[in-house]
Amino acid sequence: MADYVFSFFLSLLLISSTNHVKSNEEGYISVDISNKGLDFAKDFLVQMAESSLVPLDLPKIEKSKHIPFIGTVHMGLSNITIDKIHVISSTVKAGDTGIVISVSGATANMTMNWEYSYTNWWLPIPITDNGEASIQVDGMDVGISFNLTNNQGSLMLSPLDCGCSVKDISIKLDGGASWLYQGLLDAFEVRLTSAVENAISKKLREGIVKLDSLLQSLPKEIPIRNIAALNVTFVGNPQLRDTSLTLSINGLISAKDAYAAFPYHHLEHLLASLEYLLASVPVKDPASMVTISLHEKVLVSASSVYYDANKMHWIVDKVPEQSLLNTAGWRFIIPQLYRQYPDADMNLNVTIFSPPSLKIKEHQIDVTVHADVVINVLNSGEVTPVACFSTAVSGSASPWITNNNLGGNIQLDEFSLSLRWSKIGNLHVNLVRVLMSTAMRTVILPYINLKLSRGYPLPIFHGYTLQNAKILCSDSWIKICSDVGPVKQLSIS
């Protein structure tokens, strides 16, 4: 689950977006990308464009002209190719009309072949010459604007405007009598400049169309194992502001029915090919790139799905204090159990009989669980149920993120127990409750909290992970504020 959720989040970040968007359908996951996040996405898109635009072939350029006393001169440029583009400066701005990415002062290196011929009535054969040329493009400015809208739960990317202008272009001829024709070839600068501007503008528009196709193909459901699916349809239109881009997602988890499986290997292959580009995207600003907000209903929906799928049932045969799972450990609490089954091993059959109650409050998540606990005795290879207790456990969890590890602490608030049935006579329920409550407070929870204190590494996605992340709980929402950076980058300066 973590891999898919993180894959989805990073895809959003690379492509584009904690307000809650008003719509007929409510979104329970909100993603708010700050200026820093937008700048990160812009740097990624610019570097992707630098590599995907080249090599870019331009159409052949021909020109004929009649010169007195010389005749008709034919000039042609062919195999015109932009081999390299280097972006020096770029900016991104979001507003009510869309997102604008501007590139200024870019340079480009080009190569081409040239040919030259002229004829006259007094020449028996045409005079020709040809060679190669290198071209340097300077002062190239590029601007592209587009809008993000909701199209039946998917993001649609619509180009608004795209343009390219070149301030200076210089041609250096090689081969033949290039020194003789340099002046004449300079006449091609205007048409060559126009060809470069048109070709780059066209290629960028094609890139927006491909990016929109990728957005449209993103799944609307992400499977969680073989049990559930996360609804990742978008709710309402993205909210564009000067300082942020906000997306609202349905976010609820439901039982996995038959649905069209998304070919993740296609997306994985695409993103794997972009890993090198990601590694070179700079991260400088100390502010958080993104804030992800999850409503408690996301957790409640997951809890209900797992409950309905009969996944909240466990056989407990190992605990930190293993003597608790032997009748000898209970001989003073339930003496008849020890008398009937002396020194016999036991296990606990735990079944949660209603979906757990979850409530996000200030700094913590309150959880209440109702479960039946059946005590089984392992006697001569047979499992013998001897008693069943009904329990209600209330506690709180406080999650935290430190050094890119997700951890937490669990605290037991209330514990109640009643006897459902017994095959070994009357039991001292209060003694059993005290023993189990003491075991939970002194043995089981400290063991779990020790594990949680070590933390679990945040997921890694193609060399990138969350960085400097903070997690906050408040008023039905969990908020995660974080940067995104390469795994090898331990801190952001």
Side-chain angles (χ1 to χ4, degrees):
M1 174 183 179
D3 288 341
Y4 286 136
V5 172
F6 191 70
S7 299
F8 174 68
F9 155 67
L10 188 56
S11 298
L12 291 179
L13 181 62
L14 299 180
I15 296 170
S16 57
S17 0
T18 288
N19 294 347
H20 313 309
V21 181
K22 296 182 179 180
S23 171
N24 294 332
E25 183 183 2
E26 191 170 356
Y28 298 101
I29 296 179
S30 177
V31 182
D32 184 18
I33 297 183
S34 67
N35 270 341
K36 180 183 177 183
L38 290 174
D39 198 56
F40 178 92
K42 176 265 298 178
D43 287 340
F44 166 78
L45 290 173
V46 167
Q47 292 191 27
M48 185 173 68
E50 280 184 307
S51 62
S52 62
L53 282 175
V54 296
L56 178 58
D57 295 327
L58 277 61
K60 185 176 180 180
I61 300 176
E62 295 181 320
K63 189 174 183 180
S64 297
K65 187 175 183 180
H66 183 77
I67 301 177
F69 306 110
I70 294 180
T72 302
V73 180
H74 299 278
M75 294 172 286
L77 306 181
S78 61
N79 296 328
I80 309 170
T81 303
I82 301 176
D83 300 307
K84 184 178 180 180
I85 295 176
H86 178 58
V87 174
I88 299 174
S89 175
S90 61
T91 60
V92 61
K93 184 177 181 181
D96 294 337
T97 57
I99 300 174
V100 179
I101 296 178
S102 302
V103 170
S104 59
T107 62
N109 298 329
M110 301 172 58
T111 57
M112 69 177 184
N113 296 332
W114 59 271
E115 58 184 3
Y116 185 93
S117 69
Y118 66 88
T119 60
N120 197 295
W121 62 269
W122 47 270
L123 292 174
I125 58 174
I127 296 177
T128 63
D129 202 354
N130 61 77
E132 299 177 346
S134 58
I135 306 169
Q136 177 66 33
V137 179
D138 294 307
M140 184 166 60
D141 297 337
V142 179
I144 184 168
S145 62
F146 52 88
N147 198 10
L148 281 171
T149 56
N150 188 331
N151 181 26
Q152 298 181 344
S154 296
L155 283 181
M156 183 170 68
L157 191 64
S158 305
L160 301 176
D161 194 15
C162 180
C164 173
S165 65
V166 174
K167 293 182 180 178
D168 183 63
I169 188 168
S170 59
I171 306 171
K172 181 181 179 181
L173 303 183
D174 299 311
S178 56
W179 61 271
L180 179 63
Y181 309 128
Q182 181 72 55
L184 293 176
L185 264 293
D186 287 343
F188 279 85
E189 286 187 8
V190 174
R191 294 185 62 182
L192 197 56
T193 297
S194 178
V196 170
E197 294 173 344
N198 292 336
I200 289 180
S201 297
K202 179 182 178 182
K203 191 73 173 182
L204 287 174
R205 286 185 178 274
E206 292 174 354
I208 291 294
V209 172
K210 291 181 180 179
L211 200 55
D212 175 64
S213 178
L214 175 61
L215 280 172
Q216 296 289 325
S217 68
L218 287 175
K220 294 184 178 180
E221 286 184 317
I222 294 178
I224 305 173
R225 297 184 178 178
N226 294 318
I227 301 171
L230 174 67
N231 186 336
V232 291
T233 56
F234 292 92
V235 179
N237 286 321
Q239 301 298 298
L240 298 171
R241 297 177 178 84
D242 290 341
T243 58
S244 66
L245 174 61
T246 301
L247 296 173
S248 188
I249 303 162
N250 177 279
L252 295 182
I253 296 173
S254 59
K256 189 178 76 170
D257 298 322
Y259 65 91
F262 176 73
Y264 283 100
H265 59 280
H266 294 326
L267 183 58
E268 289 291 312
H269 176 74
L270 171 65
L271 294 174
S273 67
L274 302 178
E275 183 173 349
Y276 173 77
L277 288 173
L278 279 169
S280 61
V281 174
V283 181
K284 295 176 265 187
D285 198 312
S288 294
M289 287 184 182
V290 63
T291 298
I292 307 173
S293 302
L294 289 85
H295 194 271
E296 64 186 22
K297 287 187 178 181
V298 176
L299 303 182
V300 172
S301 65
S303 171
S304 297
V305 169
Y306 272 74
Y307 173 78
D308 292 339
N310 296 318
K311 295 298 181 180
M312 294 187 176
H313 171 84
W314 303 274
I315 299 295
V316 180
D317 54 11
K318 290 184 180 179
V319 293
E321 185 58 54
Q322 196 63 25
S323 63
L324 292 174
L325 292 181
N326 188 282
T327 57
W330 295 70
R331 63 183 182 273
F332 300 115
I333 307 298
I334 310 178
Q336 62 267 46
L337 174 63
Y338 180 71
R339 286 195 299 267
Q340 288 186 233
Y341 305 99
D343 295 315
D345 289 331
M346 304 158 46
N347 67 34
L348 303 178
N349 187 338
V350 181
T351 301
I352 294 178
F353 58 79
S354 65
S357 171
L358 296 160
K359 186 69 177 177
I360 299 175
K361 295 183 177 180
E362 194 75 20
H363 306 306
Q364 67 184 38
I365 305 172
D366 289 348
V367 182
T368 301
V369 177
H370 296 86
D372 284 341
V373 180
V374 177
I375 299 177
N376 294 324
V377 175
L378 311 180
N379 184 32
S380 301
E382 294 184 358
V383 179
T384 304
V386 296
C388 177
F389 295 93
S390 178
T391 65
V393 181
S394 296
S396 59
S398 300
W400 47 257
I401 297 177
T402 302
N403 295 327
N404 291 328
N405 285 335
L406 175 63
N409 181 76
I410 298 177
Q411 178 179 323
L412 179 64
D413 295 331
E414 295 182 8
F415 178 81
S416 64
L417 178 142
S418 61
L419 180 66
R420 273 189 179 267
W421 52 263
S422 170
K423 295 182 180 180
I424 53 176
N426 293 327
L427 305 179
H428 295 287
V429 176
N430 286 337
L431 290 178
V432 175
R433 181 185 59 79
V434 171
L435 175 63
M436 295 186 68
S437 177
T438 301
M440 291 185 66
R441 294 180 187 275
T442 61
V443 178
I444 297 175
L445 284 184
Y447 176 78
I448 294 174
N449 285 330
L450 178 62
K451 293 283 189 181
L452 292 176
S453 67
R454 296 170 183 169
Y456 295 88
L458 295 175
I460 296 172
F461 181 71
H462 290 286
Y464 263 64
T465 185
L466 298 181
Q467 285 193 346
N468 301 332
K470 298 178 181 179
I471 186 168
L472 305 171
C473 297
S474 177
D475 191 24
S476 302
W477 290 88
I478 297 176
K479 295 185 179 183
I480 301 174
C481 305
S482 180
D483 296 316
V484 175
V487 174
K488 293 182 180 179
Q489 182 176 324
L490 299 179
S491 63
I492 298 177
S493 57

